[in-house]
Amino acid sequence: MDREREFAKLLAEAPRRGMTRRDLLRRVGLGAGAASLTAFLAACGISKEDTTTEEGEKNTLTTTEEVGNLNFANWPLYIDRSQGTRPTIDDFTEATGITVNYKEVIDDNEGFFGTIQEPLSNDQAVEWDMIVVTDWMIAKMARLGYLEELDHEQLPNFTANAGAIYKDPGYDPGNKYSVPWQSGITGVAYNPELTGRELTSFDDLFDPAFAGKVGMFKEMRDTISLTMLSMGVEPSESTEDDLVAAQQKLLQQRDDGIVRNYYGNEYADALVRGDIWATMAWSGDVFQLQFDQPELQFYVPDTGGILWVDNMAIPDNAAAPIDAMRFMDYVYDPEVAAQITAWVNYICPVPAAQEILASAKDKYTQTVANSPLVFPTPEMEANLHHYKDLDEDEEARWNDLFGEIIQG
Amino acid sequence: MAGEGRRKLTPYLLTLPGVGFLVVFFAIPMATVFSVSFQEGSLSQGFTFTGHWQNYTDTLARYDTQLIRSLMVGLIVTIMTLVISYPMMYWIAFRGGRRKNIYLLLILLPFFTPFLIRTLMWKTIFADEGILLGFLKDVGLVSDSYQVLATMTAVISGMVYNFLPFMALPLYVSLEKMDPRLLDAAADLYSSKRQAFLKVTLPLSYPGLFAGSLLTFIPAVGDPINPELLGGVNTTMIGQVVQREMLTNNAYPRGSAISFMLMAVILIGVFLYARVLGTEEMTG
């Protein structure tokens, strides 16, 4: 009861916190370039031998006891904040006695991977007990033997409360190595005042009428997968021919002068500035942008969108695996999940959180609860697809062909 | 004698910190990168040295456009910074009077702000409907579809802006230490102002010009940040290629091969440049 009241109070504060996640994003986005450089430097050291995938090596946890301290690497602005504190982290410490060293050090999957790849490939521990990376990176790291297996007996909340589409996902069968943190949709966002008409399909991004005003992603999986879907191909079942065809379509779009640029996170600023009229987009960002610019629209293309999932996982040889699992389970308590989602605004893996948010008194929280960008409607969910799980050779091939598009 | 032996060793001992620094932070990494550039493999299987020289030919065939583009951009940026900063520095050195230091400070002032922030501010200033272009479009000076961001113009302008001090300061140093009475002497010997500039001032500023060009050209060719932030479609430069090969593709051998090729091309260019300007002027 007490917790509920506390939580309601916190939610009530939300609109006058004065600083939205979007504001913060604007401020911290500056660090991204610098962070990739660090990752680049870290990636320069190359191991000659990779020992972790050798047969016969037993992958066991370093400890079966709680350590009392958790080193947690996450993305910027990916957990609730209130007046300089992180309520969920503080509550967790209060409930379990485990202190959390929470660092927002992940700016992109590949850059972060570059910083931990060297020790992991030498079967050494990294400084993190828990990390959050996107589904395909989970698959890649699991394949390389870089992740600890989860003990699902320690995760009763996950079993009880996780949404059906988050259990036993294709990228990590049986949630052997990971449980979802938040997820989102890759679709299309546009400004109807600039496009002058309603958009519904992915091919609208190929309309010559918008020449020079279209944004595409430099995230290879997103761009290629949505393009494949627009050509009637299910990414997970795609062949080499489908890949080449998708590349041709994207090259054509570029050479026709339709694409203004291939963007990372900065697409949102370009959309707000009006530099681009229509662009590939991530659902959570658009939800935030709509507070400033209600006219902005987000849709899942009629040919299909991508549901991506960021997951919590434990790097190999982590010092505090049990503490990490306690945290994983803690955030699957619907109230905790609601508290995080109210602030983060990405898609929550706990459906029960929607009711909790909807019962809040303030308008902001109700907007979150009722937004299809945070809790997608069943029709939207039915039209969402997943990335293809690429093996190493495929990934190299996809990257090669995609590189020709964005690095002209 | 022992004392004499030690005296002979002293200069070498004095260089030890410098040599140690170079070995640890230059020689060893260079050797590693060189070795990696001849390796084959993948992240899961590890990389092994196989003398795979095709890393060089493959990447050159694939990225020749970007390499040539980078060299051209480096050249343009160097020339533009030179053209902009020479008159400026000339004026400060010879006409600056007691306020020389204030003028220099004014030139350096913007560079007290971090590089990344300055470059990102450009995005706000040059947005399609931003404070500058929005105004120009409203008064009809440029067409509605005109854009600066995501073009080569933006990349080159950003670099010229960011690299200006690297050209300006060495130029200033060499111009400032020139004795102005040399120009009087030239006039006494019936030289015109133009001749005096070409035969006295310009040659005396060669060391600064040489140093400034190198300090601008080399980082400009390999810079991944300006093209990443200000560039768009078909403005990719070689620094971005290396970054993507290394970080996204985890193709360390290919990334290393490109890095080495770039270095070789720059070294050859610098060598030729030094031959043309003359090594004597180069060292001042």
Side-chain angles (χ1 to χ4, degrees), chain A residues 247 396-408, chain B residues 55-67 238 241 244-245 249 254 258 261:
Chain A
Q247 188 215 21
R397 176 80 181 139
W398 282 47
N399 269 327
D400 259 4
L401 291 189
F402 187 63
E404 286 172 16
I405 303 168
I406 62 164
Q407 296 205 320
Chain B
N55 284 334
Y56 285 84
T57 48
D58 290 353
T59 47
L60 185 62
R62 186 179 162 129
Y63 296 118
D64 54 344
T65 321
Q66 288 84 351
L67 185 63
I238 203 73
V241 169
R244 188 174 152 82
E245 286 287 1
N249 302 358
R254 294 207 303 190
I258 304 168
M261 248 175 329

Side-chain angles (χ1 to χ4, degrees), chain A residues 258-279:
Chain A
I258 293 170
V259 182
R260 178 190 174 93
N261 208 349
Y262 297 93
Y263 293 94
N265 283 310
E266 70 278 15
Y267 80 92
D269 294 324
L271 182 66
V272 168
R273 282 197 304 260
D275 287 355
I276 43 178
W277 299 349
T279 177

